[in-house]
């Protein structure tokens, strides 16, 4: 079936919240994908930082297939071995501590964290929450209440909880906002949907100190940043601090839907029987996939690989002199090329035309979050191609070509 036929059928069958995506992808291998017309692309999006091991990974496929043919689903009424081993492995990677709840997505992991924080707050007379301006924690009503992007919050308010927003990275503003009446602070180690915006050095240490001083819980949303994405298992480990509650998803399943909420110390024991649940959370199949991801990262030493290839990408892109490129930010294989105002959609479209998939996550930034197995040669090929991509985007804007921008804007709507 042609790509145009698929686009028409997609538009007729689905709600219009995503617009119509510009490509129909039909196959992948490693860090490469092919569209319905047979064109090849280097995938520098990885399903929004999801496909940690790339596409058609043999061991991941075997683990999922074997588990489906053995036991595909149990619900939470029964124990399955895969979920237990996965929870134990996550605890091991976090220093042997924490109690785990397994869900199906990042939004659900954050809903779990919010319920834990609400229960803590009610027991201790704490009435409000603090989160960051431009932060993103999900689109369900609880997670959306913590999301500081006004364009997607305002149409669905008012919300059931009191959330106060502060500028991201401003420790003084956070210190002023958090009192002994604050139940929890929800923050990302870097703001993914805002354009991979990192905080100043020492910010997470300051957050930890502020929460310790006031008794507020520190919740780290690592939906995008964890599972090796920044060259560490979890991004908060770069600053040597530990949150009270940690949320994970995306790269954990390597392409299968999974989320996790992990509470440390007494905050992992706040729920009583019946307080929370999930029919599909802890699925044997998703858990088998997640274990394969974790074991493969260890076996292939991908944390060091991510650091090395990420440095190559970041330094190579930063060394390009072009009027559309203002800089590069991020860490590991979670980067953003910062662009001239409004250039993001045109650069995304030009990259796609050149055979590279990137994401115009903001009008002035493209997000680069490839599979963790991206090779040095593949990374260098993008660096080498980027000047011509920027030239093409500049020419497209100069010529007033808006069709490609419309497609890229639609793709940019696809968030967690």
């Amino acid at each position: 079936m042609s790509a145009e036929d698929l686009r028409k059928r997609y538009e007729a069958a689905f709600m219009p919240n995503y617009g119509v995506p510009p490509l129909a992808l039909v196959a992948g291998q490693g860090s490469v994908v092919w569209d319905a017309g047979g064109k090849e692309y280097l995938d520098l999006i990885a399903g929004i930082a999801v496909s940690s091991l790339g596409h058609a990974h043999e061991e991941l496929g075997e683990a999922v297939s074997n588990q489906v043919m053995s036991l595909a689903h149990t619900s939470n009424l029964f124990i399955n071995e895969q979920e237990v081993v996965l929870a134990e492995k996550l605890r091991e990677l976090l220093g042997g501590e924490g109690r785990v709840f397994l869900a199906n997505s990042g939004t659900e992991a954050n809903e779990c964290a919010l319920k834990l924080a609400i229960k803590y707050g009610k027991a201790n007379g704490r009435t409000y929450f603090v989160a960051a301006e431009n932060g993103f924690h999900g689109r369900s009503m609880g997670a959306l209440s913590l999301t500081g992007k006004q364009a997607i919050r305002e149409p669905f308010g008012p919300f059931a909880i009191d959330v106060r927003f502060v500028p991201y990275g401003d420790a003084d503003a956070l210190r002023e906002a958090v009192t002994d009446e604050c139940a929890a602070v929800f923050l990302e180690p870097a703001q993914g949907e805002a354009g991979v915006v990192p905080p100043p050095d020492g910010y997470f240490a300051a957050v930890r100190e502020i929460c310790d001083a006031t008794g507020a819980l520190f919740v780290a949303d690592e939906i995008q940043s964890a599972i090796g994405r920044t060259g560490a298992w979890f991004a908060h480990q770069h600053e040597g601090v530990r949150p009270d509650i940690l949320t994970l998803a995306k790269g954990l399943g390597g392409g299968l839907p999974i989320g996790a909420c992990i509470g440390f110390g007494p905050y992992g024991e706040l729920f009583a029987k019946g307080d929370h649940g999930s029919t599909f959370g802890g699925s044997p199949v998703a858990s088998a996939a997640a274990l394969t991801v974790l074991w493969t990262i260890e076996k292939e030493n991908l944390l060091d690989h991510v650091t090395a290839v990420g440095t190559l990408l970041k330094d190579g892109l930063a060394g390009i002199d072009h009027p559309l490129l203002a800089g590069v930010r991020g860490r590991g294989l979670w980067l953003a090329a910062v662009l001239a105002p409004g250039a993001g959609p045109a650069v995304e479209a030009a990259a796609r035309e050149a055979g590279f998939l990137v994401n115009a996550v903001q009008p002035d930034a493209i997000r680069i979050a490839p599979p963790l197995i991206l090779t040095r040669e593949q990374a260098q090929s993008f660096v080498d191609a980027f000047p011509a991509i920027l030239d093409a985007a500049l020419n497209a804007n100069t010529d007033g070509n808006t069709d490609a921008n419309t497609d890229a804007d639609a793709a940019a709507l696809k968030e967690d």
Side-chain angles (χ1 to χ4, degrees), residues 141 144 152-159:
M141 292 302 287
L144 185 59
I152 63 175
R153 274 177 56 85
E154 289 181 358
F156 300 100
F159 297 95

Side-chain angles (χ1 to χ4, degrees), residues 231-246:
W233 281 111
F234 310 97
H236 70 266
Q237 293 173 332
H238 289 294
E239 290 210 32
V241 300
R242 191 182 74 181
D244 299 306
I245 299 172
L246 173 67

Side-chain angles (χ1 to χ4, degrees), residues 114 125-135 137 142 144-150 153 159-168 170 173-187 191 203 216:
L114 179 57
R126 296 171 177 269
T127 58
Y128 72 94
F129 301 81
V130 172
E133 296 171 1
N134 295 317
H137 300 287
L144 185 59
S145 68
L146 298 162
T147 291
K149 299 180 75 172
Q150 292 305 309
R153 274 177 56 85
F159 297 95
I161 60 173
D162 179 7
V163 182
R164 303 173 189 182
F165 293 96
V166 297
Y168 183 69
D170 187 335
L174 185 68
R175 189 172 285 107
E176 185 175 344
V178 179
T179 71
D180 59 7
E181 294 181 359
C182 176
V185 176
F186 281 74
L187 292 169
Q191 291 189 312
Y203 180 61

Side-chain angles (χ1 to χ4, degrees), residues 260-278:
C261 179
I262 302 166
F264 298 98
Y267 312 116
E269 301 178 5
L270 288 170
F271 282 153
K273 183 177 179 180
D275 276 351
H276 198 48
S278 170

Side-chain angles (χ1 to χ4, degrees), residues 138-363:
R139 291 184 181 270
S140 57
M141 292 302 287
L144 185 59
S145 68
L146 298 162
T147 291
K149 299 180 75 172
Q150 292 305 309
I152 63 175
R153 274 177 56 85
E154 289 181 358
F156 300 100
F159 297 95
I161 60 173
D162 179 7
V163 182
R164 303 173 189 182
F165 293 96
V166 297
Y168 183 69
D170 187 335
D172 291 336
L174 185 68
R175 189 172 285 107
E176 185 175 344
V178 179
T179 71
D180 59 7
E181 294 181 359
C182 176
V185 176
F186 281 74
L187 292 169
E188 303 161 84
Q191 291 189 312
E193 298 302 324
V196 193
V197 179
D201 289 343
Y203 180 61
F204 256 34
V207 175
R208 179 71 276 172
E209 180 270 322
I210 291 166
C211 289
D212 287 343
T214 60
L217 300 186
F218 175 18
V219 182
D221 176 343
E222 291 228 37
I223 304 304
Q224 287 193 37
S225 60
I227 317 302
R229 177 62 46 193
T230 66
W233 281 111
F234 310 97
H236 70 266
Q237 293 173 332
H238 289 294
E239 290 210 32
V241 300
R242 191 182 74 181
D244 299 306
I245 299 172
L246 173 67
T247 58
L248 311 171
K250 289 193 180 291
L252 178 60
L256 271 74
I258 192 169
C261 179
I262 302 166
F264 298 98
Y267 312 116
E269 301 178 5
L270 288 170
F271 282 153
K273 183 177 179 180
D275 276 351
H276 198 48
S278 170
T279 297
F280 293 100
S283 153
V285 178
S287 297
L291 283 167
T292 302
V293 169
L294 299 179
W295 291 333
T296 301
I297 290 173
E298 283 187 324
K299 180 178 66 176
E300 298 185 4
N301 198 24
L302 289 182
L303 298 184
D304 289 345
H305 177 79
V306 165
T307 299
V309 177
T311 299
L312 184 158
L313 261 177
K314 187 174 184 180
D315 291 350
L317 295 174
I320 295 170
D321 183 14
H322 195 280
L324 288 189
L325 183 62
V328 184
R329 61 189 176 219
R331 188 197 296 261
L333 290 177
W334 197 34
L335 303 173
V338 186
L339 305 168
V347 172
E348 178 186 305
R352 185 167 64 245
E353 183 65 25
F356 299 91
L357 300 184
V358 297
N359 170 222
V361 65
Q362 289 291 312

